[in-house]
Short mmCIF file of all heavy atoms in Angstrom, two decimals:
data_model
loop_
_atom_site.label_atom_id
_atom_site.label_comp_id
_atom_site.label_asym_id
_atom_site.label_seq_id
_atom_site.Cartn_x
_atom_site.Cartn_y
_atom_site.Cartn_z
N SER A 12 0.84 -1.19 0.00
CA SER A 12 0.00 0.00 0.00
C SER A 12 0.87 1.24 0.00
O SER A 12 2.10 1.18 -0.07
CB SER A 12 -0.91 -0.01 1.23
OG SER A 12 -0.12 0.05 2.41
N GLY A 13 0.24 2.38 0.11
CA GLY A 13 0.97 3.63 0.26
C GLY A 13 1.45 3.82 1.69
O GLY A 13 1.23 2.96 2.56
N PRO A 14 2.11 4.93 1.97
CA PRO A 14 2.63 5.15 3.33
C PRO A 14 1.51 5.33 4.34
O PRO A 14 0.47 5.91 4.05
CB PRO A 14 3.44 6.44 3.17
CG PRO A 14 2.84 7.13 1.98
CD PRO A 14 2.40 6.04 1.05
N GLU A 15 1.73 4.83 5.54
CA GLU A 15 0.83 5.03 6.66
C GLU A 15 1.61 5.76 7.75
O GLU A 15 2.33 5.14 8.53
CB GLU A 15 0.29 3.69 7.16
CG GLU A 15 -0.51 2.92 6.12
CD GLU A 15 -1.02 1.59 6.63
OE1 GLU A 15 -1.03 1.39 7.86
OE2 GLU A 15 -1.41 0.76 5.79
N PRO A 16 1.52 7.10 7.77
CA PRO A 16 2.33 7.90 8.69
C PRO A 16 2.22 7.43 10.13
O PRO A 16 1.13 7.11 10.62
CB PRO A 16 1.77 9.31 8.52
CG PRO A 16 1.21 9.31 7.12
CD PRO A 16 0.66 7.94 6.92
N GLY A 17 3.38 7.36 10.78
CA GLY A 17 3.43 6.96 12.17
C GLY A 17 3.60 5.49 12.41
O GLY A 17 3.84 5.06 13.56
N THR A 18 3.51 4.68 11.34
CA THR A 18 3.70 3.24 11.50
C THR A 18 5.18 2.89 11.29
O THR A 18 5.93 3.67 10.71
CB THR A 18 2.85 2.45 10.51
OG1 THR A 18 3.27 2.79 9.17
CG2 THR A 18 1.37 2.81 10.66
N PRO A 19 5.62 1.73 11.79
CA PRO A 19 7.03 1.35 11.62
C PRO A 19 7.42 1.25 10.16
O PRO A 19 6.62 0.89 9.29
CB PRO A 19 7.11 -0.02 12.31
CG PRO A 19 5.97 -0.04 13.25
CD PRO A 19 4.88 0.76 12.60
N GLY A 20 8.68 1.58 9.88
CA GLY A 20 9.23 1.44 8.55
C GLY A 20 10.25 0.32 8.51
O GLY A 20 10.11 -0.69 9.22
N GLN A 21 11.29 0.48 7.69
CA GLN A 21 12.32 -0.54 7.53
C GLN A 21 13.68 0.14 7.48
O GLN A 21 13.80 1.26 6.95
CB GLN A 21 12.10 -1.32 6.23
CG GLN A 21 10.72 -1.96 6.11
CD GLN A 21 10.40 -2.40 4.69
OE1 GLN A 21 11.11 -3.23 4.11
NE2 GLN A 21 9.33 -1.86 4.12
N LEU A 22 14.68 -0.54 7.97
CA LEU A 22 16.05 -0.02 7.94
C LEU A 22 16.99 -1.16 7.59
O LEU A 22 16.95 -2.23 8.22
CB LEU A 22 16.44 0.57 9.30
CG LEU A 22 17.88 1.09 9.41
CD1 LEU A 22 18.07 2.34 8.56
CD2 LEU A 22 18.25 1.38 10.87
N TYR A 23 17.85 -0.91 6.60
CA TYR A 23 18.78 -1.95 6.15
C TYR A 23 20.19 -1.38 6.06
O TYR A 23 20.38 -0.23 5.63
CB TYR A 23 18.36 -2.50 4.79
CG TYR A 23 16.99 -3.12 4.80
CD1 TYR A 23 15.89 -2.42 4.28
CD2 TYR A 23 16.78 -4.37 5.36
CE1 TYR A 23 14.62 -2.97 4.30
CE2 TYR A 23 15.50 -4.93 5.39
CZ TYR A 23 14.44 -4.23 4.87
OH TYR A 23 13.18 -4.77 4.91
N HIS A 24 21.17 -2.19 6.46
CA HIS A 24 22.58 -1.89 6.24
C HIS A 24 22.91 -2.43 4.86
O HIS A 24 23.19 -3.61 4.69
CB HIS A 24 23.45 -2.53 7.32
CG HIS A 24 24.86 -2.05 7.32
ND1 HIS A 24 25.76 -2.36 6.32
CD2 HIS A 24 25.53 -1.26 8.20
CE1 HIS A 24 26.93 -1.80 6.60
NE2 HIS A 24 26.81 -1.12 7.72
N ILE A 25 22.85 -1.57 3.87
CA ILE A 25 22.85 -2.02 2.48
C ILE A 25 24.20 -2.58 2.05
O ILE A 25 24.27 -3.36 1.09
CB ILE A 25 22.38 -0.88 1.55
CG1 ILE A 25 21.63 -1.44 0.33
CG2 ILE A 25 23.54 0.03 1.16
CD1 ILE A 25 20.27 -1.97 0.64
N PHE A 26 25.27 -2.23 2.75
CA PHE A 26 26.58 -2.82 2.42
C PHE A 26 26.67 -4.26 2.91
O PHE A 26 27.11 -5.15 2.18
CB PHE A 26 27.71 -2.01 3.04
CG PHE A 26 27.94 -0.66 2.39
CD1 PHE A 26 28.90 0.21 2.90
CD2 PHE A 26 27.20 -0.25 1.30
CE1 PHE A 26 29.11 1.46 2.31
CE2 PHE A 26 27.39 0.99 0.71
CZ PHE A 26 28.35 1.84 1.22
N ASP A 27 26.27 -4.50 4.17
CA ASP A 27 26.33 -5.85 4.74
C ASP A 27 25.14 -6.71 4.33
O ASP A 27 25.24 -7.94 4.32
CB ASP A 27 26.37 -5.77 6.27
CG ASP A 27 27.66 -5.16 6.79
OD1 ASP A 27 28.64 -5.06 6.00
OD2 ASP A 27 27.69 -4.76 7.97
N ASP A 28 24.03 -6.05 4.02
CA ASP A 28 22.78 -6.75 3.72
C ASP A 28 22.17 -6.16 2.44
O ASP A 28 21.11 -5.54 2.47
CB ASP A 28 21.83 -6.59 4.91
CG ASP A 28 20.48 -7.26 4.71
OD1 ASP A 28 20.42 -8.26 3.95
OD2 ASP A 28 19.48 -6.77 5.28
N PRO A 29 22.84 -6.35 1.30
CA PRO A 29 22.37 -5.69 0.07
C PRO A 29 21.01 -6.17 -0.41
O PRO A 29 20.34 -5.44 -1.16
CB PRO A 29 23.46 -6.04 -0.95
CG PRO A 29 24.10 -7.28 -0.42
CD PRO A 29 24.04 -7.16 1.06
N TYR A 30 20.58 -7.35 0.02
CA TYR A 30 19.32 -7.89 -0.48
C TYR A 30 18.17 -7.67 0.50
O TYR A 30 17.10 -8.28 0.36
CB TYR A 30 19.49 -9.36 -0.84
CG TYR A 30 20.66 -9.55 -1.78
CD1 TYR A 30 21.67 -10.45 -1.51
CD2 TYR A 30 20.77 -8.77 -2.94
CE1 TYR A 30 22.75 -10.59 -2.36
CE2 TYR A 30 21.85 -8.90 -3.80
CZ TYR A 30 22.84 -9.82 -3.49
OH TYR A 30 23.92 -9.95 -4.35
N GLU A 31 18.40 -6.80 1.50
CA GLU A 31 17.34 -6.30 2.38
C GLU A 31 16.58 -7.44 3.08
O GLU A 31 15.37 -7.54 3.00
CB GLU A 31 16.39 -5.40 1.59
CG GLU A 31 17.08 -4.17 1.03
CD GLU A 31 16.25 -3.42 0.00
OE1 GLU A 31 16.06 -3.95 -1.11
OE2 GLU A 31 15.78 -2.31 0.33
N THR A 32 17.33 -8.26 3.80
CA THR A 32 16.73 -9.39 4.50
C THR A 32 16.66 -9.18 6.01
O THR A 32 15.87 -9.85 6.68
CB THR A 32 17.55 -10.68 4.23
OG1 THR A 32 18.89 -10.51 4.72
CG2 THR A 32 17.58 -10.99 2.74
N ASP A 33 17.46 -8.26 6.55
CA ASP A 33 17.56 -8.08 8.00
C ASP A 33 17.13 -6.65 8.36
O ASP A 33 17.91 -5.70 8.27
CB ASP A 33 19.00 -8.34 8.46
CG ASP A 33 19.15 -8.29 9.97
OD1 ASP A 33 18.12 -8.33 10.68
OD2 ASP A 33 20.30 -8.19 10.44
N ASP A 34 15.89 -6.51 8.77
CA ASP A 34 15.32 -5.19 9.09
C ASP A 34 15.80 -4.75 10.48
O ASP A 34 15.50 -5.39 11.49
CB ASP A 34 13.81 -5.28 9.04
CG ASP A 34 13.12 -3.95 9.31
OD1 ASP A 34 13.82 -2.94 9.50
OD2 ASP A 34 11.87 -3.94 9.33
N LEU A 35 16.52 -3.63 10.50
CA LEU A 35 17.11 -3.13 11.75
C LEU A 35 16.34 -1.93 12.31
O LEU A 35 16.86 -1.19 13.16
CB LEU A 35 18.57 -2.73 11.50
CG LEU A 35 19.48 -3.85 10.97
CD1 LEU A 35 20.88 -3.30 10.66
CD2 LEU A 35 19.56 -4.99 11.97
N TRP A 36 15.11 -1.73 11.88
CA TRP A 36 14.32 -0.58 12.31
C TRP A 36 14.24 -0.47 13.84
O TRP A 36 14.44 0.61 14.40
CB TRP A 36 12.91 -0.68 11.72
CG TRP A 36 11.95 0.35 12.22
CD1 TRP A 36 11.16 0.27 13.35
CD2 TRP A 36 11.67 1.62 11.63
NE1 TRP A 36 10.41 1.41 13.49
CE2 TRP A 36 10.71 2.27 12.44
CE3 TRP A 36 12.12 2.27 10.49
CZ2 TRP A 36 10.19 3.53 12.15
CZ3 TRP A 36 11.62 3.53 10.19
CH2 TRP A 36 10.67 4.15 11.02
N SER A 37 13.96 -1.55 14.49
CA SER A 37 13.73 -1.51 15.94
C SER A 37 15.02 -1.53 16.75
O SER A 37 15.00 -1.19 17.94
CB SER A 37 12.84 -2.68 16.36
OG SER A 37 13.46 -3.92 16.06
N THR A 38 16.14 -1.91 16.12
CA THR A 38 17.39 -2.03 16.88
C THR A 38 18.35 -0.87 16.68
O THR A 38 19.32 -0.74 17.42
CB THR A 38 18.11 -3.34 16.51
OG1 THR A 38 18.42 -3.34 15.12
CG2 THR A 38 17.24 -4.54 16.85
N ARG A 39 18.12 -0.03 15.68
CA ARG A 39 19.01 1.11 15.45
C ARG A 39 18.20 2.41 15.36
O ARG A 39 18.17 3.09 14.33
CB ARG A 39 19.84 0.91 14.16
CG ARG A 39 20.77 -0.28 14.19
CD ARG A 39 21.80 -0.22 15.31
NE ARG A 39 22.64 0.95 15.23
CZ ARG A 39 23.80 1.01 14.59
NH1 ARG A 39 24.23 -0.05 13.92
NH2 ARG A 39 24.52 2.11 14.60
N PRO A 40 17.54 2.78 16.45
CA PRO A 40 16.68 3.98 16.41
C PRO A 40 17.43 5.26 16.12
O PRO A 40 16.87 6.20 15.57
CB PRO A 40 16.04 3.99 17.80
CG PRO A 40 16.98 3.21 18.66
CD PRO A 40 17.52 2.13 17.77
N GLU A 41 18.71 5.31 16.45
CA GLU A 41 19.49 6.53 16.19
C GLU A 41 19.70 6.75 14.69
O GLU A 41 19.71 7.89 14.21
CB GLU A 41 20.83 6.47 16.93
CG GLU A 41 21.91 5.58 16.33
CD GLU A 41 21.72 4.08 16.56
OE1 GLU A 41 20.67 3.70 17.15
OE2 GLU A 41 22.61 3.30 16.17
N ILE A 42 19.85 5.65 13.94
CA ILE A 42 19.97 5.78 12.49
C ILE A 42 18.63 6.18 11.88
O ILE A 42 18.56 7.03 10.98
CB ILE A 42 20.46 4.45 11.86
CG1 ILE A 42 21.79 4.01 12.48
CG2 ILE A 42 20.58 4.59 10.35
CD1 ILE A 42 22.92 4.99 12.24
N VAL A 43 17.55 5.58 12.38
CA VAL A 43 16.21 5.96 11.91
C VAL A 43 15.98 7.44 12.13
O VAL A 43 15.51 8.16 11.23
CB VAL A 43 15.14 5.13 12.64
CG1 VAL A 43 13.75 5.67 12.32
CG2 VAL A 43 15.24 3.66 12.26
N GLU A 44 16.34 7.93 13.29
CA GLU A 44 16.12 9.35 13.61
C GLU A 44 16.96 10.25 12.71
O GLU A 44 16.48 11.27 12.20
CB GLU A 44 16.45 9.60 15.08
CG GLU A 44 16.22 11.03 15.53
CD GLU A 44 16.53 11.25 17.00
OE1 GLU A 44 17.00 10.29 17.66
OE2 GLU A 44 16.32 12.37 17.49
N ARG A 45 18.21 9.88 12.51
CA ARG A 45 19.11 10.72 11.72
C ARG A 45 18.67 10.79 10.26
O ARG A 45 18.64 11.86 9.65
CB ARG A 45 20.55 10.19 11.83
CG ARG A 45 21.56 10.95 10.97
CD ARG A 45 22.98 10.60 11.35
NE ARG A 45 23.31 9.22 11.14
CZ ARG A 45 23.68 8.69 9.97
NH1 ARG A 45 23.74 9.45 8.89
NH2 ARG A 45 23.99 7.41 9.88
N LEU A 46 18.33 9.65 9.68
CA LEU A 46 17.95 9.65 8.27
C LEU A 46 16.56 10.24 8.06
O LEU A 46 16.29 10.85 7.01
CB LEU A 46 18.02 8.23 7.71
CG LEU A 46 19.42 7.61 7.63
CD1 LEU A 46 19.37 6.33 6.81
CD2 LEU A 46 20.43 8.57 7.04
N THR A 47 15.68 10.07 9.01
CA THR A 47 14.37 10.72 8.92
C THR A 47 14.54 12.23 8.90
O THR A 47 13.87 12.93 8.11
CB THR A 47 13.47 10.30 10.09
OG1 THR A 47 13.29 8.88 10.09
CG2 THR A 47 12.11 10.98 10.01
N ALA A 48 15.43 12.72 9.72
CA ALA A 48 15.69 14.17 9.75
C ALA A 48 16.32 14.64 8.44
O ALA A 48 16.00 15.73 7.94
CB ALA A 48 16.59 14.51 10.93
N LEU A 49 17.21 13.84 7.87
CA LEU A 49 17.85 14.21 6.60
C LEU A 49 16.82 14.29 5.48
O LEU A 49 16.82 15.24 4.69
CB LEU A 49 18.95 13.21 6.26
CG LEU A 49 19.73 13.48 4.96
CD1 LEU A 49 20.43 14.84 5.01
CD2 LEU A 49 20.74 12.36 4.70
N LEU A 50 15.93 13.30 5.40
CA LEU A 50 14.88 13.34 4.39
C LEU A 50 13.98 14.55 4.61
O LEU A 50 13.60 15.24 3.65
CB LEU A 50 14.06 12.05 4.43
CG LEU A 50 12.87 11.97 3.47
CD1 LEU A 50 13.31 12.15 2.03
CD2 LEU A 50 12.12 10.65 3.65
N GLY A 51 13.66 14.83 5.85
CA GLY A 51 12.85 16.01 6.15
C GLY A 51 13.52 17.30 5.70
O GLY A 51 12.86 18.21 5.19
N ARG A 52 14.84 17.37 5.86
CA ARG A 52 15.57 18.57 5.42
C ARG A 52 15.52 18.70 3.91
O ARG A 52 15.32 19.79 3.38
CB ARG A 52 17.01 18.50 5.91
CG ARG A 52 17.89 19.66 5.40
CD ARG A 52 19.19 19.76 6.17
NE ARG A 52 20.09 18.66 5.92
CZ ARG A 52 20.93 18.59 4.88
NH1 ARG A 52 20.92 19.54 3.95
NH2 ARG A 52 21.74 17.56 4.75
N PHE A 53 15.71 17.58 3.19
CA PHE A 53 15.65 17.62 1.73
C PHE A 53 14.28 18.10 1.26
O PHE A 53 14.17 18.86 0.29
CB PHE A 53 15.93 16.24 1.14
CG PHE A 53 17.37 15.81 1.22
CD1 PHE A 53 17.72 14.49 0.96
CD2 PHE A 53 18.38 16.71 1.52
CE1 PHE A 53 19.04 14.08 1.01
CE2 PHE A 53 19.71 16.31 1.58
CZ PHE A 53 20.04 14.99 1.32
N LYS A 54 13.22 17.65 1.91
CA LYS A 54 11.88 18.08 1.53
C LYS A 54 11.69 19.57 1.82
O LYS A 54 11.16 20.32 0.99
CB LYS A 54 10.84 17.26 2.29
CG LYS A 54 10.74 15.80 1.88
CD LYS A 54 9.66 15.10 2.69
CE LYS A 54 9.49 13.65 2.30
NZ LYS A 54 8.43 12.97 3.08
#
């Protein structure tokens, strides 16, 4: 579906996990916060 604001997303270490099999959303909240802020700045 389309985005559902406020629901969990996905986070991948694309170098170690290029095929997006290990979702790190819940274990690396600092990366989620930093990249969310970066996307917000670009917008």
Side-chain angles (χ1 to χ4, degrees):
S12 63
E15 298 179 16
T18 62
Q21 304 165 60
L22 177 69
Y23 300 102
H24 192 290
I25 212 73
F26 289 177
D27 292 345
D28 179 28
Y30 307 127
E31 298 168 290
T32 61
D33 185 15
D34 182 2
L35 302 175
W36 172 273
S37 61
T38 61
R39 298 300 301 269
E41 77 283 4
I42 303 298
V43 171
E44 182 179 4
R45 176 167 63 83
L46 294 191
T47 301
L49 181 60
L50 177 58
R52 175 166 69 84
F53 287 167
K54 291 181 179 180

